[in-house]
Amino acid sequence: MEINNKRDSFGSKIGIISAAAGSAIGLGNIYRFPCELGDNGGAAFLLVYLAVVILLGIPVMLSEFVIGRRSQSNTVGAFQKLVPKSGWSIVGYMGVLCGFLIFSFYSTVSGWTLEYILKAITNSFRGKDLATIEQEFIDFHNMGWRNVLWQAAFIFLTGYVVFKGVKDGIEKYAKILMPLLFVILIILGIRSITLPGAKEGLVFLFKPDFSKITGDVLVGALGQGFFSLSLGMGVLITYGSYIKKNDNLTSTAFSVVFADTLIALLAGIVIFPAAFSFGVKPTAGMGLVFNTIPMIFNQMHSGYFFCVIFFVLLAIAALTSTISLLEVVVAFITEQHHIKREWATVIACCITLLVGTFASLSLMENSPFAKDGYTVFGMMDFLSSNILLPLGGLLIVIFTGWKLGKSQFFDEVTNGGALKSPLKAIIFFIIRYLAPLAILVVFISGLIN
Ligand code: PHE
């Protein structure tokens, strides 16, 4: 792939949607969303989350696509091209940094999916009760270097795909496998809601208690929204730069937000009824998903078969997300520093593994990288999801609304007037006024809390 002469682009419309949705759909939906929802009071969180996704998700995503496609550049280059010699490229640098940070702890959990594929294949959950499965999850964390090894394997896998380039790599994998994940979640969901005592879980998920909406819930939902949709750090600027000039950016943004939210909701419907049924606390955090899901398979016809498929698909969902994280960094290194794609990939993967090792080892009991319940892993997650991504999103909408301006925005979303794009005025209004205000208010309410 000749990145320096002619930019690679996505081959087809379905290719862009699946690549962007592949980035969005991942551990954020199936692992992080239930954790956050469980920690933040259930349905009340879901309500705020949905508001964030609809009100902010679509405008921020569209802003990123516009910046990327208009500039035909990586996240740093994009701002430099659109407003030369201004300070705006700092938003791009923040994104690259955030890419490293997220990839570093995300690859930890991605590595677990590989361990769990192995457990599933060797039928290691069969006949075990919840206490045993929970203990084995803890034991696994305590084998710190085993975590790091899986993490390294996952980073290597990501590097391999990114190394092969956008069209042969990213698109091919996402296109077939994400719909399959959807199907298996439906099957799991049906089993989950028909378990004894499942109703309580549905009540927790869908019956909001408004008194539970606190500043923490707002900040958590905002961070989760940005994290889940891969917003605020330039993934979608980078991918936007690979979208063809005659593709419809608005409908792409709508499709991606819809698919991502659907998968998160399905994950909630799979996890909570089952968790209540088995007696896993909704605040169980990391164990919520990794312990509940094997228990569901234990109660299911052909559980072995589905369990293997589920963890393979989870790993692939994670992979299409890590690919996008790495792509941001690699596009930046190759284009800004004129280093070959191969080397850029190797450099980025090595740094990620170095930093990521601390994240993995911090989850061991008595780890030197954890103190009073605060782990390096948790801190990286909090810093990137709850602070850097919303901050990046804030700057991106301010840039689009006030710097790029209405005419350039309209020109890009209508493909130079070829498309009608009836929602463009409303979306631009949100980008210019509502989104910056909403993000700021949530930030401030979080600080006050
Ligand atoms: N959106 C991904 C997920 O839900 C994670 C991600 C965040 C990917 C930010 C890229 C950028 O799993």
Side-chain angles (χ1 to χ4, degrees):
M1 193 175 93
E2 280 294 321
I3 198 99
N4 289 328
N5 303 336
K6 191 174 176 303
R7 290 180 68 74
D8 213 357
S9 69
F10 289 127
S12 61
K13 167 128 181 101
I14 192 80
I16 319 149
I17 297 179
S18 49
S23 166
I25 297 168
L27 299 170
N29 307 58
I30 293 162
Y31 161 79
R32 198 177 187 279
F33 175 73
C35 286
E36 289 287 305
L37 190 128
D39 273 340
N40 286 299
F45 177 88
L46 178 61
L47 219 62
V48 182
Y49 177 77
L50 290 177
V52 166
V53 162
I54 294 167
L55 200 75
L56 300 176
I58 292 167
V60 178
M61 188 174 288
L62 197 53
S63 300
E64 291 203 27
F65 281 158
V66 164
I67 294 171
R69 194 173 67 174
R70 208 163 178 81
S71 64
Q72 291 290 297
S73 194
N74 65 84
T75 52
V76 172
F79 291 97
Q80 288 174 349
K81 266 196 193 165
L82 293 174
V83 275
K85 299 206 175 60
S86 71
W88 280 101
S89 54
I90 187 100
V91 183
Y93 285 108
M94 247 173 64
V96 173
L97 181 81
C98 203
F100 268 120
L101 208 61
I102 296 182
F103 192 15
S104 298
F105 73 84
Y106 199 92
S107 54
T108 299
V109 186
S110 305
W112 302 348
T113 63
L114 299 182
E115 168 86 9
Y116 273 64
I117 290 174
L118 193 69
K119 278 183 189 271
I121 291 176
T122 54
N123 211 358
S124 121
F125 304 116
R126 187 95 228 126
K128 287 183 181 156
D129 61 1
L130 180 66
T132 314
I133 287 179
E134 282 177 338
Q135 188 54 47
E136 286 182 357
F137 186 56
I138 296 171
D139 293 343
F140 169 53
H141 283 170
N142 284 334
M143 289 184 266
W145 290 104
R146 190 178 170 104
N147 285 254
V148 175
L149 223 61
W150 283 126
Q151 178 177 30
F154 208 93
I155 293 174
F156 177 81
L157 214 65
T158 310
Y160 177 75
V161 180
V162 168
F163 168 83
K164 295 202 53 173
V166 173
K167 217 147 78 193
D168 313 324
I170 301 169
E171 239 181 276
K172 196 167 76 191
Y173 294 89
K175 211 155 29 188
I176 336 157
L177 295 160
M178 289 305 104
L180 210 59
L181 180 68
F182 174 76
V183 173
I184 200 145
L185 282 174
I186 299 255
I187 297 172
L188 262 173
I190 294 172
R191 175 69 275 220
S192 179
I193 56 177
T194 50
L195 286 167
K199 198 170 151 243
E200 240 185 291
L202 287 173
V203 170
F204 179 76
L205 184 61
F206 289 119
K207 194 156 176 261
D209 169 358
F210 292 99
S211 68
K212 292 220 170 106
I213 300 182
T214 60
D216 276 351
V217 170
L218 294 181
V219 175
L222 183 74
Q224 176 59 25
F226 274 81
F227 187 86
S228 189
L229 293 172
S230 305
L231 297 175
M233 55 150 287
V235 163
L236 300 174
I237 293 180
T238 308
Y239 276 18
S241 75
Y242 304 138
I243 299 180
K244 289 205 182 109
K245 283 289 178 195
N246 57 356
D247 278 319
N248 187 335
L249 297 181
T250 315
S251 68
T252 304
F254 270 93
S255 311
V256 174
V257 170
F258 177 76
D260 187 73
T261 309
L262 191 67
I263 297 280
L265 270 174
L266 271 175
I269 294 172
V270 169
I271 298 296
F272 289 101
F276 276 81
S277 170
F278 300 130
V280 179
K281 286 205 182 67
T283 49
M286 296 175 166
L288 188 57
V289 171
F290 281 89
N291 296 330
T292 307
I293 297 248
M295 286 296 291
I296 307 178
F297 288 119
N298 270 345
Q299 308 280 327
M300 216 165 125
H301 192 268
S302 314
Y304 171 80
F305 170 73
F306 283 119
C307 189
V308 174
I309 296 190
F310 173 80
F311 280 111
V312 170
L313 288 176
L314 187 61
I316 291 166
L319 183 64
T320 53
S321 300
T322 51
I323 287 168
S324 72
L325 288 163
L326 184 59
E327 180 64 28
V328 169
V329 179
V330 168
F332 161 73
I333 301 178
T334 48
E335 294 179 8
Q336 299 298 118
H337 298 285
H338 305 291
I339 292 174
K340 273 210 165 111
R341 194 170 173 88
E342 289 79 346
W343 282 111
T345 310
V346 172
I347 295 167
C349 286
C350 288
I351 299 176
T352 304
L353 182 59
L354 197 74
V355 181
T357 299
F358 293 100
S360 283
L361 295 182
S362 76
L363 298 175
M364 292 162 65
E365 281 170 315
N366 303 322
S367 166
F369 310 114
K371 204 167 188 271
D372 306 328
Y374 290 100
T375 59
V376 168
F377 177 98
M379 261 142 46
M380 284 177 159
D381 184 353
F382 184 84
L383 177 67
S384 50
S385 317
N386 288 9
I387 296 177
L388 290 175
L389 294 184
L391 191 63
L394 176 66
L395 294 171
I396 285 167
V397 283
I398 293 178
F399 178 83
T400 310
W402 298 88
K403 197 76 205 164
L404 203 60
K406 196 175 190 161
S407 62
Q408 291 206 59
F409 179 80
F410 281 9
D411 184 57
E412 199 60 44
V413 293
T414 60
N415 298 349
L419 297 172
K420 273 225 169 66
S421 193
L423 293 175
K424 61 182 182 298
I426 300 178
I427 296 178
F428 188 74
F429 178 82
I430 298 178
I431 289 173
R432 194 170 161 112
Y433 300 104
L434 224 62
L437 208 71
I439 299 173
L440 264 178
V441 167
V442 171
F443 248 144
I444 293 168
S445 75
L447 284 183
I448 293 171
N449 237 48

